[in-house]
Amino acid sequence: MNARNFFREYVLQIQQVMEPSAAVQVAETLLEHFAGISRRQMILNPDMELTAAMVQQLESVLPRLKQHEPVQYITGIAWFYDMQFKVSAAVLIPRPETEELVEKVIDQCSNLPAPCLLDVGTGSGCIAITLKKHLPQALVTAVDVSKDALHIAMHNAQQLGAEVHFKQLNFLNEGERNSLSTYDCIVSNPPYIPETEREMMDENVVRYEPELALFAAD
């Protein structure tokens, strides 16, 4: 099947559940992930063809999109600070605004010879790993109450070559918290959405992302 023709029809299918501009971005992401074809390649080579296997795989994820599942969970990939992170339903999808938090920590700690940093509720590990990559002199510890999240974070650290010490720990438990050392900087992107706002949240967030990482007690 011609790739450009398929792409146009694919975007129309995705538009059933999202805005046109977002549908184009999602279609581009899936086409590149499952078929290895970028939109630029389609433009430069209008006769490019998709194999039957590519078409089948791309069409197989449409029901998941129509159930509002985030594209990051479908591909298992999210980008943060120009790095690729593995994600699953066990971890929150990294947000672009969290990059601003990381930038502030890097700026404040860049002149310290060996800063000790703690990331609380590390999730995918995106904060801790990015800090270690940009502050190689830092001693970075990352904690999370979720064992499944830590497995994802440790995988990401290994793939990205970041030496981070991970520990399963409930930071809200005083006894467990007291087992930690002292740190020059503690950083966290904790649950902050009140339960009373649950019904106002987008379905793709509430239905698929981990409640533990989203909602705080009122």
Side-chain angles (χ1 to χ4, degrees):
M1 178 179 289
N2 180 269
R4 290 180 68 179
N5 292 339
F6 176 85
F7 182 80
R8 282 194 289 266
E9 293 298 321
Y10 202 56
V11 169
L12 290 175
Q13 288 284 327
I14 299 172
Q15 282 181 13
Q16 295 177 19
V17 291
M18 62 184 71
E19 294 295 323
S21 59
V24 170
Q25 291 180 346
V26 167
E28 289 176 349
T29 297
L30 292 172
L31 190 69
E32 188 156 6
H33 180 76
F34 289 115
I37 297 173
S38 68
R39 194 177 187 186
R40 182 174 182 273
Q41 287 175 300
M42 284 191 294
I43 294 172
L44 294 175
N45 185 2
D47 296 323
M48 181 173 287
E49 294 286 317
L50 295 177
T51 67
M54 290 174 181
V55 171
Q56 182 178 12
Q57 191 159 30
L58 286 161
E59 289 182 339
S60 72
V61 301
L62 279 174
R64 296 171 66 181
L65 284 173
K66 291 179 180 180
Q67 290 295 318
H68 303 280
E69 184 173 353
V71 67
Q72 293 91 338
Y73 289 154
I74 293 174
T75 62
I77 293 170
W79 287 87
F80 184 83
Y81 228 85
D82 294 327
M83 292 184 289
Q84 182 175 292
F85 286 81
K86 177 182 178 180
V87 293
S88 76
V91 301
L92 195 71
I93 296 169
R95 270 39 176 195
E97 53 267 27
T98 306
E99 294 184 0
E100 298 177 14
L101 173 64
V102 170
E103 287 176 2
K104 290 181 179 179
V105 176
I106 293 172
D107 182 60
Q108 292 180 6
C109 297
S110 59
N111 292 326
L112 297 178
C116 292
L117 311 178
L118 175 66
D119 175 24
V120 178
T122 193
S124 66
C126 63
I127 293 176
I129 292 167
T130 303
L131 289 175
K132 182 61 179 179
K133 296 290 287 184
H134 288 266
L135 296 169
Q137 78 278 21
L139 302 174
V140 182
T141 299
V143 301
D144 203 292
V145 70
S146 168
K147 185 177 181 180
D148 291 336
L150 286 173
H151 283 160
I152 296 290
M154 287 187 284
H155 170 86
N156 285 328
Q158 183 177 19
Q159 291 296 112
L160 293 167
E163 186 179 347
V164 176
H165 173 63
F166 292 99
K167 184 175 183 179
Q168 186 176 6
L169 180 145
N170 181 359
F171 193 77
L172 297 180
N173 182 290
E174 184 177 0
E176 295 185 44
R177 186 170 65 247
N178 289 341
S179 69
L180 294 169
S181 183
T182 56
Y183 299 91
D184 296 297
C185 180
I186 298 176
V187 60
S188 181
N189 184 24
Y192 61 90
I193 303 169
E195 279 285 350
T196 52
E197 295 183 11
R198 179 186 290 266
E199 294 184 359
M200 294 182 281
M201 300 293 295
D202 290 339
E203 185 177 357
N204 65 329
V205 174
V206 175
R207 188 171 181 178
Y208 292 99
E209 299 202 57
E211 290 192 8
L212 191 64
L214 288 171
F215 297 104
D218 292 338

